[in-house]
Amino acid sequence: MSASRKPPVRSRFARAVLSPLAVAVLLLRTAPAPAADGQAQAAGRVELSPEMRKGLAALGTGQFQEAFNLIHQAAKGALQSGADPRIAHIDRWLADFEKLQNERAARALKDYEQYVAWAREDAEKQRWQSAIRYASMAFNTAVDQDAFRKEEWLRKVVEGAESAAREYEENGQWVKAARIYYRLTDIFPRNKVYKEALQRSQAHLRLDFTYSPDSDWEAAVSNITPDMAKDAFRKIETEYITEPNFKEAAQAALKHLLLMTQEKKIASVFKRMESEEAVQEFRQRVGARLKDVEEADDLTAQDLINHFDRVLRINDETRLFPRTVLIHEFVHGALRPLDPYSDMLWPSDLQEFNKHTQGKFSGVGISIHKDPGEPLRVVSPLEDSPAYNAGIQAGDLITAINGQPSRKLTITKAVREITGPPNTTVTLTIKRPSLDKEFDVTLERKEITIFTIKSFERDEQGRWKYMIDPENKIGYLRMTNFTENTIDELREVIGKLRSEGMRGLIFDLRGNPGGPLKSAVDVSDMFLEGRKKIVATKDRHGKPWEQSSSPDSDGRSGAAPAHFTDFPMIVLVNGSSASASEIVSGALQVHRRALIVGERSFGKGSVQQVLRLNNTNQAYLKLTTAKYYLPNGRCLHREEDATTWGVDPDVEVKLVPKEVVKVLELRMNNDVLKGKNQENFTKDYVKSVTAFRTATRPARGGQATDKEQEDSKDKAGDKEEGDEESLDEEEDEELAESQRPDPNE
């Protein structure tokens, strides 16, 4: 489907789904209840007919067909009686929505049939990576996914993909193995064999990526000490959410060290690994420790520390790895059996962590991207930043940083070079597509604020347009993540919308990974009043804690109210709305303050406390200590093999993979800020700027967007950087795929 033939997905979806929902909620909240004598109880306000009330209620719970029938019937009567004209608007919108849904269903069916055909074609040619990829896409487009899993052709694809993945593992081709296991896990999420294989492949990939010759590994492990690890183990013993199993921790740590000795690629960094004698001695002695652990009945934190000390001595004597590397990797292995969210914040991690939580960092204010072997590309300057004010534009190439060529730098290393203390300078060499010669720009670093409140599109001046439906005064806000500054941003924007007469708000939390608990409580509190419970937690000892909304008046003398409760709300969520996003959407749903639309949220309902180690500010342990509970007692967290988690939408609107990609593309393109005096800022140009390889990740002038740099430590299987495998087969598959037409073009 080309943009020239149909309006953008966002505008059509908003007009056909979100606007009628918002107006429906508005009508239900403002219309008077039927009087006993059949007369309206409020002067100047038109009473809704019973059919209209039922239709609006059905619309608000996703019963669209029933809503179509009832509202259409009510609209006929409204035209004759001169009732609220919004009724006719909703009727027309629903007709548009029914048409849109039929179009979506037809396109999805066409996509499904084509994905199946391509998967079967690739299976016949034994192109298993491509076959399982298209099988996964078909699965996510299928109407009945349970029936899909039973298809005979799928069984053959799965068998071929499994065999190919095992062969890739045997040959150390971890990128290819991880890609296949990722797709298999997508189709069969409860299959533990696939999960373990994916984790195994990712563990190898993480080592290759972390300790590649071009990586910044020395900076990553700098200033690490054994005492940091020991204090972390002691805190796990007393503070973890459940009784920790230190035998499992010791086994995982020792197995991880043995895994390092098998990873041939990192031998180019750790030259001592070229000594077969040193490697064998290390393996034998660590293997003996592992055997002792496996034969033990149980271990304490002190036992784990004793094994850690012993392994340090083994490494000191064999000199296989730098000491800080061994500490870093032993702890990484020991934490794996806990949960995905417990992690160490080593000295090199603190600056990045603070950026995400505080919403500020010191740099020049650019969002950048890098493909392997290519210069850095400016995706967008940030508002009112040194880069923006100096005229840096989207699409500029940064060919050098302080004279150092950028082609060989990893994105992490480039970010480290560009950022720095306030009032210091960095010189960027720029190659602008419209100019023949490169030029240097010297920028003075300053504190950059990361704005988290965005909308659906910008105006000509680059300012966000927050009123998505000016006629009905419906506002739209998109929150990218939660930081310490989010509440002030949100209050300012809502105040602006209220001054423009906003009558309803669409609050988009899709893709929002969360943030600090305090920010989630503050945002929830803004939309609630009267001491309503927002969230509760329980630790392993059953100790409860809860937070409620503040009193109706917080005693401030300013004009801005403490709470905004005088307009209806729709909150959008999806499977990537996590943590703080789930607290906010869940609290507003339970208290019937907002209608939740979209797909079930992620289910990240565990509390991580950041515990200082050794009474210093040099390193911290981010440890899961409790779980979140909604005001109705529902636990947000998704346990393994669980069927209930997160926040279920009141109205389910599920997007197929192609629609998800289009939404992300729209967001990415709209996030690009036009540079000063930039003339070549057409839609096609913006698309060319943001059209980078999907497996590599952009970073924002010193911070990875949406916590992805942090995720990359554990999800290296999603990356292509550092992969030195032969890609001949993969290139053949990608070439074949690129020649396949879009079934809906």
Side-chain angles (χ1 to χ4, degrees):
M1 181 182 73
S2 64
S4 62
R5 285 158 49 191
K6 292 186 180 294
V9 173
R10 182 264 312 151
S11 60
R12 299 186 75 211
F13 180 75
R15 185 174 64 246
V17 183
L18 300 181
S19 286
L21 279 173
V23 176
V25 176
L26 179 62
L27 281 171
L28 283 172
R29 285 189 52 164
T30 58
D37 59 0
Q39 300 297 318
Q41 293 180 339
R45 296 166 69 189
V46 179
E47 181 182 342
L48 299 178
S49 68
E51 291 82 5
M52 191 64 190
R53 285 184 176 277
K54 291 179 182 178
L56 293 175
L59 182 61
T61 55
Q63 302 174 60
F64 293 118
Q65 191 58 54
E66 183 179 352
F68 295 156
N69 298 333
L70 289 168
I71 292 176
H72 187 63
Q73 181 180 351
K76 288 182 179 179
L79 289 174
Q80 299 174 353
S81 64
D84 194 322
R86 290 173 296 183
I87 295 174
H89 283 309
I90 293 177
D91 185 44
R92 288 197 298 272
W93 280 328
L94 286 178
D96 289 342
F97 175 62
E98 186 173 28
K99 181 181 179 181
L100 177 62
Q101 285 291 76
N102 290 336
E103 291 175 358
R104 291 181 65 222
R107 288 198 300 270
L109 177 60
K110 201 170 183 179
D111 284 342
Y112 172 81
E113 292 172 345
Q114 186 63 84
Y115 295 151
V116 171
W118 284 340
R120 298 180 74 164
E121 176 187 334
D122 287 331
E124 288 295 323
K125 298 178 180 179
Q126 298 187 9
R127 296 200 297 240
W128 300 115
Q129 278 197 92
S130 182
I132 196 63
R133 174 175 178 263
Y134 281 117
S136 173
M137 294 172 71
F139 168 75
N140 284 289
T141 313
V143 175
D144 187 340
Q145 292 183 332
D146 289 333
F148 176 85
R149 293 189 183 99
K150 300 175 183 177
E151 293 279 357
E152 177 62 23
W153 69 265
L154 178 64
R155 183 185 64 80
K156 295 179 180 178
V157 170
V158 168
E159 288 178 354
E162 286 178 345
S163 177
R166 287 193 295 269
E167 184 176 346
Y168 290 144
E169 284 196 81
E170 291 172 3
N171 295 327
Q173 296 175 295
W174 302 111
V175 171
K176 296 178 181 179
R179 284 175 176 158
I180 289 179
Y181 288 130
Y182 174 81
R183 298 293 182 179
L184 290 170
T185 302
D186 182 38
I187 301 172
F188 303 99
R190 295 190 180 184
N191 188 306
K192 293 183 179 180
V193 173
Y194 295 153
K195 285 183 181 179
E196 291 172 358
L198 178 59
Q199 291 170 359
R200 182 172 61 247
S201 301
Q202 289 178 332
H204 284 277
L205 278 171
R206 175 190 165 275
L207 289 172
D208 291 349
F209 178 74
T210 303
Y211 300 109
S212 70
D214 296 329
S215 71
D216 205 16
W217 68 268
E218 291 174 293
V221 300
S222 62
N223 301 315
I224 290 177
T225 68
D227 286 342
M228 294 173 182
K230 294 176 184 180
D231 196 28
F233 297 149
R234 296 188 186 101
K235 283 183 166 56
I236 291 171
E237 185 174 41
T238 58
E239 304 296 332
Y240 190 60
I241 187 172
T242 60
E243 194 74 29
N245 187 325
F246 286 106
K247 179 176 179 178
E248 288 184 356
Q251 287 176 307
L254 295 171
K255 287 180 179 179
H256 183 66
L257 296 183
L258 293 174
L259 177 70
M260 290 182 68
T261 65
Q262 300 171 353
E263 201 54 46
K264 297 179 180 179
K265 290 181 182 179
I266 66 175
S268 62
V269 172
F270 306 122
K271 298 298 184 181
R272 180 66 172 164
M273 291 182 67
E274 295 175 358
S275 168
E276 185 66 27
E277 182 180 352
V279 171
Q280 287 303 318
E281 181 183 355
F282 183 90
R283 287 186 56 81
Q284 289 172 2
R285 295 173 70 179
V286 172
R289 305 304 300 180
L290 177 59
K291 184 177 180 181
D292 290 343
V293 169
E294 291 172 339
E295 292 176 351
D297 293 331
D298 200 5
L299 294 182
T300 64
Q302 186 56 51
D303 293 329
L304 177 60
I305 291 171
N306 292 340
H307 285 291
F308 172 61
D309 283 334
R310 182 56 182 155
V311 168
L312 281 177
R313 288 196 296 272
I314 294 172
N315 188 66
D316 289 343
E317 292 165 5
T318 59
R319 296 178 290 113
L320 200 61
F321 303 107
R323 205 166 205 256
T324 52
V325 168
L326 188 104
I327 298 169
H328 187 276
E329 295 305 316
F330 186 97
V331 174
H332 175 80
L335 294 182
R336 296 296 289 174
L338 296 182
D339 64 88
Y341 309 108
S342 293
D343 199 4
M344 285 289 286
L345 296 174
W346 298 110
S348 64
D349 299 325
L350 297 183
Q351 184 179 10
E352 190 69 26
F353 179 75
N354 290 333
K355 290 173 193 173
H356 290 294
T357 57
Q358 298 172 6
K360 296 179 180 180
F361 67 98
S362 177
V364 300
I366 48 174
S367 175
I368 58 177
H369 170 79
K370 190 176 189 307
D371 284 323
E374 297 295 328
L376 294 166
R377 186 193 310 176
V378 176
V379 177
S380 176
L382 304 187
E383 296 94 330
D384 193 29
S385 65
Y388 177 82
N389 293 327
I392 300 296
Q393 300 179 358
D396 284 349
L397 298 178
I398 301 174
T399 59
I401 305 170
N402 289 330
Q404 180 183 7
S406 67
R407 287 182 179 274
K408 292 186 178 181
L409 297 178
T410 64
I411 189 72
T412 304
K413 203 164 187 176
V415 165
R416 200 184 301 276
E417 293 293 326
I418 294 174
T419 56
N423 304 318
T424 60
T425 61
V426 60
T427 298
L428 306 180
T429 302
I430 303 297
K431 175 68 176 75
R432 182 160 294 166
S434 60
L435 301 178
D436 294 332
K437 293 184 178 181
E438 296 182 350
F439 58 94
D440 288 345
V441 179
T442 299
L443 304 172
E444 183 175 320
R445 302 179 179 102
K446 74 169 191 176
E447 186 178 79
I448 306 296
T449 297
I450 304 166
F451 295 103
T452 59
I453 304 300
K454 302 183 180 182
S455 192
F456 64 100
E457 66 182 8
R458 299 179 187 266
D459 62 18
E460 287 298 320
Q461 288 72 43
R463 296 170 301 199
W464 287 109
K465 296 163 65 175
Y466 295 111
M467 199 71 80
I468 195 170
D469 186 345
E471 180 182 357
N472 290 286
K473 300 295 185 181
I474 305 298
Y476 171 90
L477 303 179
R478 171 166 62 94
M479 182 186 292
T480 59
N481 57 296
F482 290 75
T483 70
E484 294 177 3
N485 300 320
T486 293
I487 188 67
D488 295 328
E489 281 186 72
L490 186 60
R491 188 175 294 280
E492 179 181 350
V493 174
I494 290 182
K496 180 178 183 294
L497 283 168
R498 282 164 56 88
S499 70
E500 296 173 2
M502 181 182 70
R503 306 182 69 221
L505 177 66
I506 299 167
F507 191 26
D508 194 345
L509 295 177
R510 292 175 298 174
N512 186 318
L517 173 60
K518 183 181 183 302
S519 183
V521 171
D522 287 344
V523 171
S524 302
D525 179 53
M526 180 182 291
F527 300 115
L528 298 171
E529 61 182 352
R531 290 291 187 187
K532 290 184 172 63
K533 187 175 177 181
I534 294 173
V535 66
T537 67
K538 292 179 184 177
D539 61 17
R540 87 187 198 198
H541 306 294
K543 182 180 179 181
W545 174 91
E546 65 179 54
Q547 184 71 45
S548 298
S549 55
S550 58
D552 294 349
S553 174
D554 61 1
R556 295 178 303 172
S557 58
H563 307 279
F564 296 114
T565 59
D566 57 347
F567 52 81
M569 291 178 65
I570 288 174
V571 177
L572 304 182
V573 297
N574 65 4
S576 297
S577 304
S579 188
S581 297
E582 297 175 285
I583 292 173
V584 172
S585 57
L588 298 185
Q589 180 185 55
V590 169
H591 294 300
R592 304 181 67 82
R593 175 64 185 89
L595 190 73
I596 311 301
V597 178
E599 301 176 64
R600 180 157 56 174
S601 63
F602 182 81
K604 197 275 183 184
S606 58
V607 183
Q608 282 74 48
Q609 278 192 296
V610 180
L611 306 174
R612 188 170 61 167
L613 300 177
N614 299 319
N615 294 318
T616 71
N617 294 322
Q618 293 183 317
Y620 294 80
L621 173 65
K622 188 174 68 172
L623 186 67
T624 299
T625 58
K627 290 181 181 176
Y628 291 125
Y629 294 85
L630 294 178
N632 60 4
R634 175 168 173 159
C635 182
L636 287 169
H637 200 61
R638 181 179 185 176
E639 302 290 353
E640 189 171 1
D641 297 330
T643 57
T644 301
W645 67 82
V647 176
D648 291 317
D650 299 305
V651 178
E652 184 177 37
V653 179
K654 186 176 181 181
L655 303 183
V656 298
K658 186 180 289 185
E659 291 173 322
V660 173
V661 170
K662 288 186 177 181
V663 169
L664 292 175
E665 287 176 348
L666 281 169
R667 283 187 174 185
M668 194 179 303
N669 294 338
N670 287 327
D671 283 349
V672 176
L673 179 65
K674 181 179 180 180
K676 279 190 173 183
N677 304 317
Q678 185 168 5
E679 297 179 356
N680 60 331
F681 199 72
T682 64
K683 288 185 177 181
D684 288 340
Y685 179 79
V686 171
K687 286 181 180 179
S688 72
V689 170
T690 59
F692 35 71
R693 296 171 65 182
T694 57
T696 55
R697 293 171 170 162
R700 176 183 291 151
Q703 84 156 22
T705 54
D706 294 337
K707 74 178 181 63
E708 289 189 330
Q709 187 176 28
E710 178 183 347
D711 287 347
S712 70
K713 292 188 290 184
D714 293 323
K715 298 180 180 178
D718 293 340
K719 285 185 172 286
E720 292 183 358
E721 298 179 22
D723 175 23
E724 300 174 2
E725 301 166 13
S726 169
L727 298 181
D728 292 344
E729 174 192 346
E730 189 170 327
E731 288 170 352
D732 288 344
E733 293 185 11
E734 290 180 353
L735 178 62
E737 291 173 23
S738 67
Q739 295 172 342
R740 287 170 168 166
D742 186 326
N744 280 301
E745 282 288 357

